[in-house]
Amino acid sequence: LNTLTTNLSFAGNNIQKIMLTSCRPQEGKSFLSMNLMRTLAGVGKQVVLVDADLRRSLLSSRYGVQTSDQMLGLSHYLAGMCTVDDIVFKTNIKNAYMVMAGYDVANSLALLSTPRFARLLDVLAKEFDVVIVDAPPGGVIIDAAQIAKSCDGVVFVVSDNLIPRKELLEATRQ
């Protein structure tokens, strides 16, 4: 994580919105997203983690993020039900904030394709030093390719010796 944090700092100041994805589910992208947020916040960066897996978010359940039933998230914002201020929540980690996914939706691509998603990331990039976007697997559904259009860079999380090169190249091409 320290190496990744350092390497991201060498990417330049214009790389602010960073999407993390993988080829398949359960390769560790949410784990890496959470810990990258913690590491960056620990070195004094103002960081927001956006959970953009609108079909099957596991971030809150897997990492013990406590939410209320009325907590608004990304899906609510993209549907026009609330403002940016309604979905950005401070964590118990200094300098770290989160935007939860909200309700699971069947047609996430329709929501992610709206101009509201790109505007959200632009607004967050003005308020925070780094915007981390935890995206669904790029090799499974097309959502990650749509999300990548609004980001400055992509980090692919790959399980060692599990993903065939051809599959990784196809996910990267998308």
Side-chain angles (χ1 to χ4, degrees), residues 33 57 68 109 111 141 160:
S33 296
S57 173
S68 68
L109 186 60
L111 288 176
I141 57 175
D160 190 32

Side-chain angles (χ1 to χ4, degrees), residues 34-76:
M34 286 288 289
N35 285 291
L36 182 59
M37 175 188 69
R38 287 181 181 148
T39 304
L40 287 166
V43 296
K45 299 282 187 186
Q46 292 286 318
V47 185
V48 61
L49 171 58
V50 179
D51 184 358
D53 193 345
L54 299 180
R55 293 177 190 240
R56 201 175 137 217
S57 173
L58 299 174
L59 206 59
S60 61
S61 61
R62 187 171 286 169
Y63 296 101
V65 178
Q66 296 178 359
T67 61
S68 68
D69 290 337
Q70 289 96 17
M71 181 175 272
L72 300 172
L74 180 60
S75 59
H76 298 93

Side-chain angles (χ1 to χ4, degrees), residues 16 45-48 84-85 88 95 97 119-131:
Q16 202 175 0
K45 299 282 187 186
Q46 292 286 318
V47 185
V48 61
V84 174
D85 292 336
V88 178
N95 301 324
Y97 296 79
R119 275 197 309 265
L120 170 67
L121 295 187
D122 289 341
V123 166
L124 293 174
K126 289 177 183 168
E127 294 181 29
F128 296 92
D129 299 320
V130 180
V131 179

Side-chain angles (χ1 to χ4, degrees), residues 4 8 15 17-23 29 32-33 36 132-133 135 151-158:
L4 179 58
L8 288 174
I15 306 296
K17 300 173 282 186
I18 303 164
M19 180 182 86
L20 276 77
T21 191
S22 61
C23 289
K29 67 187 168 333
L32 188 59
S33 296
L36 182 59
I132 300 170
V133 182
C151 294
D152 302 321
V154 176
V155 173
F156 256 94
V157 180
V158 181

